[in-house]
Amino acid sequence: MGNLQGKVAIVTGAGRGIGSHIALKLAAEGAAVVVNDLDEGPAGETANAIVSAGGRAVPVAGNVTEDDFAQRFVDAAVDNFGGLDIIVNNAGYTWDSVIQKMSDEQWDAILDVHLKAPFRILRAAQPVISGLAKSAKAAGEAVPCRKVVNISSVAGLGGNPGQANYAAAKAGVTGLTKTLAKEWGRYNVTVNTVAFGLIQTRLTSTAGDADGSIEIEGREIKVGVNPDLLAQMEMSIPLGRSGSPEDAAGAVYLMCTPESDYISGQTVVCAGGFNI
């Protein structure tokens, strides 16, 4: 019996990287998971891995910025597993440029995926969350503590050259988190942010790697970090290394456990001691 036995979780961007490890971790602790990814293949792979290990999961492919996505995602949790207890807003990518070269398209795309999409998902989840809380109260039962974990970055706390769009979006996540913590406290929901530092993913792999670009809505976007810059960044981390996807998933899991039931409206920095 895991810490999350009987819980139902939805995780965006869970077909690859950090999101996949978050979904697998929550499932290993007993949660049923709705796994989202932009593409059907990766979403299905993560869901199948969970099911093969004895867990419960369903894939929901789609772009989190689509108008109908949020409702479809929330409905998948209720229709397949009968409820909703954990929301992890993880999906995202970077599209960098210094501000004088950044287009409106770049700005809007990053704000949409990192800030507008979580807003829409939380808005779609509110009737479910409030309804479950009211039903428990009407039955004379204790309202279980539900969890929202919004993913941010140290860039949203301290800024980062070339990432005005990303940093602004992630700073906005902090405001969204603090507001929802105050609005949803009456439903016994904790709302927190986990801000990642340098984590090993395809978005932070060294520039020049074979898969050094991603395709989003027909756009090919370069990803990766210059090897020399990456080495310098790692030297600035007190623990002396970049974080693994497992490290990142562990931080999110902490905010989903019963031990964190009285922590809300906070930002937990998962960055190996890096001082912003």
Side-chain angles (χ1 to χ4, degrees), residues 198 200 230-231 233-243 271-274:
L198 181 60
Q200 302 159 11
L230 188 63
M233 292 167 68
E234 289 186 328
M235 287 177 61
S236 69
I237 299 170
L239 288 184
R241 63 175 178 86
S242 55
F274 176 75

Side-chain angles (χ1 to χ4, degrees), residues 126-141 143 146 186-187:
Q126 193 279 339
V128 176
I129 296 293
S130 63
L132 290 169
K134 290 173 183 176
S135 294
K137 288 180 179 179
E141 301 170 353
V143 178
R146 294 184 167 87
R186 57 182 172 166
Y187 307 133

